[in-house]
Amino acid sequence: MYLCGGFSISCIMNQIFKRKLYDRLLKWKTERQGRTAILVEGARRVGKSTIVEQFAQNEYKSYILIDFNKAPKDTIALFDDLTNLDLLFITLQNTYNVQLFERGSLIVFDEVQQCPRARQAIKYLVADGRYDYIETGSLISIRKNTQNITIPSEEERVTLFPLDHEEFRWALGDKASIPLLRMSYDKKIPLGIAHRKKMEDFRLYMLVGGMPQAVNTYLTTKNLREVDDTKRDIIRLYEEDFLKIDKSGKLGRLFMSIPAQLYRSSGRFVAFNTLGGVSENTLIDLMQALSESKTTLFCHHCTDPNVGMSLNKDLSRYKIFMADTGLFVTLCFWDKDFTENVIYDKLLSDKLDANLGYLYENVVAQMLASAGNQLFYYTFPKDEKHNYEIDFLLSRGNKLVPIEVKSSGYKTHKSLDVFCEKYASRIGERVLLYTKDYQKDGPTQCIPVYFAPFL
């Protein structure tokens, strides 16, 4: 059991990871006092079960963890009849050989999508009030398996993302870098000679990614080829999961096509390029499934760039990013049996001869989403054949923060300039995220990409 400064610490092969979601769970426990359950959503292998079990060990007198992937049929059948909760609790305690204490114990429904009745039971279990309840769920089988049950209103939801940049630095034993970077960002101070090292550190994060297994492999081997093998195993697992949900294979093909779609820079995800002809209803179902899998991030076009962008979301026009940039890198080179270390070495040293704009866009999307932002972008006509594009739009107070992302040190930002002139009254800070040190270019803040979480 481990506890450190209010954060979850998970131990995998002697490697310890702190996760910020721990504080969110602690706030729920303290403030709700059993009046709601909480569902921790996230992609497979992102660490949901680990953080929840560590939280249970640290914060409760006792707990029972029911893994519905492994639970016997007799245990699952207990949730078919809730007329006698005393019998339910006595049976669970004897089955798992754990004594529960009123207002001192937690019951965890792990992979709750495998037992829809247990999720429906949350309403009555919370009303009973004796114990706290945390659920975990992954992929859209949550939705598929709850079509005929009542979703409890007493259920809060949180998402566990892959390790963010700061959590990754913690895993490497570095607690100082991110607070120092934030200080530099807040004071708008260039890093000078330190910038090159910070960019190298950041590219390492992009290559390894934030999936706990991949981070663990890097820490134990320092071999990027072995890291790539681990990431390929995760991607294959996702492919298998998608096939369980969509036996036609269309869902998996959409997922695997994300790097190619971003590379084309067409300003939107075009399903036809991957699937050919498909009905609108089928496409809607596939895209909803892809979004709810938590393996991807949808960035919607905003029809009217203004605060309250959710009101102007174009549901038919979007870009799709991967939730983990490390997996994205591996998928970019999926045509090889492994991603050659020379490719990783060149990416790490920023010497790969390729347009990596799509790679930097993906990591920015990941960082903005992990920081709690919904993702929006905006395009508008440049001429008859071309568009200006603002890569990301953030709403801050009553103003917009338009963001353009560059994979190089060039500080040209024509789209940003034209957009800010067109919507001058709506603009707060205007930002170019790129690979060089901080500087100002007129009214535009040219900011190193590793500052993105602070925006």
Side-chain angles (χ1 to χ4, degrees):
M1 179 188 312
Y2 301 90
L3 181 63
C4 181
F7 293 99
S8 166
I9 302 182
S10 54
C11 185
I12 304 175
M13 292 179 61
N14 298 320
Q15 303 298 334
I16 297 173
F17 305 116
K18 299 195 299 182
R19 306 302 302 270
K20 296 176 181 178
L21 189 68
Y22 193 102
D23 269 358
R24 175 65 178 87
L25 295 177
L26 194 59
K27 181 180 179 183
W28 161 78
K29 178 180 185 291
T30 303
E31 294 183 354
R32 298 304 186 188
Q33 293 291 314
R35 294 189 297 274
T36 64
I38 192 165
L39 170 63
V40 179
E41 297 179 294
R44 288 278 295 277
R45 301 293 177 87
V46 80
K48 301 182 301 298
S49 300
T50 300
I51 185 175
V52 169
E53 186 159 17
Q54 290 296 324
F55 183 77
Q57 291 174 354
N58 293 338
E59 304 298 337
Y60 289 89
K61 191 173 181 179
S62 69
Y63 71 96
I64 290 175
L65 188 150
I66 306 172
D67 182 349
F68 285 113
N69 277 331
K70 302 176 181 178
K73 292 181 180 179
D74 289 346
T75 299
I76 294 176
L78 291 172
F79 296 94
D80 291 337
D81 184 0
L82 299 176
T83 56
N84 190 340
L85 290 182
D86 289 336
L87 177 61
L88 170 68
F89 295 138
I90 289 172
T91 304
L92 288 177
Q93 289 175 87
N94 280 286
T95 300
Y96 290 90
N97 198 31
V98 172
Q99 183 178 359
L100 296 175
F101 301 90
E102 188 168 336
R103 300 307 316 135
S105 295
L106 173 72
I107 299 177
V108 179
F109 293 165
D110 198 23
E111 302 297 348
V112 71
Q113 73 272 9
Q114 302 298 341
C115 185
R117 292 292 180 186
R119 190 176 181 203
Q120 181 171 259
I122 286 294
K123 176 180 181 65
Y124 308 100
L125 296 174
V126 167
D128 173 75
R130 274 177 266 188
Y131 313 115
D132 285 355
Y133 301 90
I134 297 180
E135 309 157 87
T136 75
S138 57
L139 289 177
I140 49 83
S141 48
I142 285 180
R143 177 169 61 92
K144 295 289 186 181
N145 289 349
T146 54
Q147 291 178 347
N148 298 316
I149 72 168
T150 302
I151 303 300
S153 59
E154 297 79 6
E155 174 189 271
E156 300 180 29
R157 295 189 189 185
V158 293
T159 299
L160 181 63
F161 292 96
L163 275 73
D164 67 17
H165 187 206
E166 185 169 23
E167 291 171 328
F168 180 76
R169 298 309 306 175
W170 289 341
L172 270 59
D174 175 11
K175 298 180 181 178
S177 284
I178 305 304
L180 290 173
L181 289 178
R182 176 172 281 280
M183 185 185 304
S184 299
Y185 169 78
D186 289 342
K187 296 183 178 181
K188 301 295 187 289
I189 299 175
L191 269 68
I193 59 174
H195 168 75
R196 183 174 179 179
K197 177 62 167 61
K198 297 304 180 185
M199 273 305 305
E200 185 173 318
D201 290 345
F202 183 73
R203 287 194 294 270
L204 176 64
Y205 169 62
M206 292 170 66
L207 296 176
V208 175
M211 300 302 289
Q213 277 183 288
V215 176
N216 179 71
T217 300
Y218 176 75
L219 292 176
T220 54
T221 69
K222 295 297 190 292
N223 186 314
L224 290 172
R225 175 173 176 175
E226 293 195 33
V227 173
D228 190 71
D229 288 340
T230 298
K231 292 188 290 178
R232 286 173 184 269
D233 288 342
I234 295 172
I235 291 172
R236 291 187 187 100
L237 176 68
Y238 288 172
E239 285 187 292
E240 293 171 4
D241 284 336
F242 288 137
L243 272 175
K244 293 175 185 175
I245 296 160
D246 169 44
K247 297 188 184 302
S248 72
K250 292 184 175 68
L251 186 58
R253 294 206 300 276
L254 288 172
F255 175 78
M256 300 296 283
S257 74
I258 290 173
Q261 291 266 357
L262 290 175
Y263 180 74
R264 291 190 186 102
S265 299
S266 63
R268 65 192 301 172
F269 190 95
V270 183
F272 177 81
N273 290 340
T274 301
L275 302 181
V278 63
S279 72
E280 183 176 353
N281 288 338
T282 297
L283 183 59
I284 290 173
D285 285 344
L286 288 171
M287 289 305 176
Q288 185 172 357
L290 198 57
S291 174
E292 292 179 352
S293 75
K294 304 300 181 182
T295 62
T296 62
L297 301 169
F298 275 63
C299 181
H300 282 88
H301 188 265
C302 181
T303 57
D304 179 19
N306 209 335
V307 292
M309 286 180 286
S310 294
L311 300 175
N312 301 301
K313 180 193 299 186
D314 186 345
L315 295 176
S316 65
R317 190 173 182 182
Y318 44 78
K319 294 188 287 187
I320 305 177
F321 299 97
M322 289 182 65
D324 182 71
T325 302
L327 297 181
F328 181 86
V329 170
T330 294
L331 203 53
C332 285
F333 302 101
W334 193 254
D335 57 325
K336 298 180 180 291
D337 289 337
F338 63 90
T339 305
E340 297 177 12
N341 257 343
V342 65
I343 293 175
Y344 273 107
D345 289 342
K346 288 186 176 181
L347 279 170
L348 188 59
S349 59
D350 201 24
K351 294 179 180 178
L352 188 65
D353 185 19
N355 178 10
L356 297 181
Y358 60 103
L359 178 58
Y360 280 90
E361 275 191 57
N362 198 98
V363 76
V364 170
Q366 179 182 344
M367 291 189 292
L368 293 178
S370 295
N373 298 287
Q374 293 188 50
L375 301 180
F376 296 95
Y377 74 106
Y378 183 67
T379 63
F380 57 105
K382 179 179 181 180
D383 53 43
E384 291 183 358
K385 296 182 178 180
H386 304 92
N387 287 326
Y388 291 112
E389 181 171 320
I390 301 301
D391 296 315
F392 299 99
L393 279 172
L394 301 180
S395 177
R396 295 292 182 262
N398 63 349
K399 296 291 185 180
L400 291 176
V401 177
I403 300 171
E404 192 169 343
V405 180
K406 296 284 187 182
S407 62
S408 65
Y410 295 109
K411 59 180 184 179
T412 56
H413 37 79
K414 184 63 175 179
S415 291
L416 199 60
D417 294 340
V418 175
F419 176 83
C420 290
E421 181 179 353
K422 182 179 178 67
Y423 297 103
S425 63
R426 306 179 184 182
I427 306 301
E429 188 177 28
R430 47 197 287 182
V431 174
L432 174 75
L433 287 174
Y434 72 153
T435 59
K436 297 300 182 182
D437 202 357
Y438 170 80
Q439 60 178 301
K440 284 199 70 174
D441 184 30
T444 300
Q445 304 279 347
C446 301
I447 294 176
V449 66
Y450 48 71
F451 281 170
F454 311 143
L455 293 172

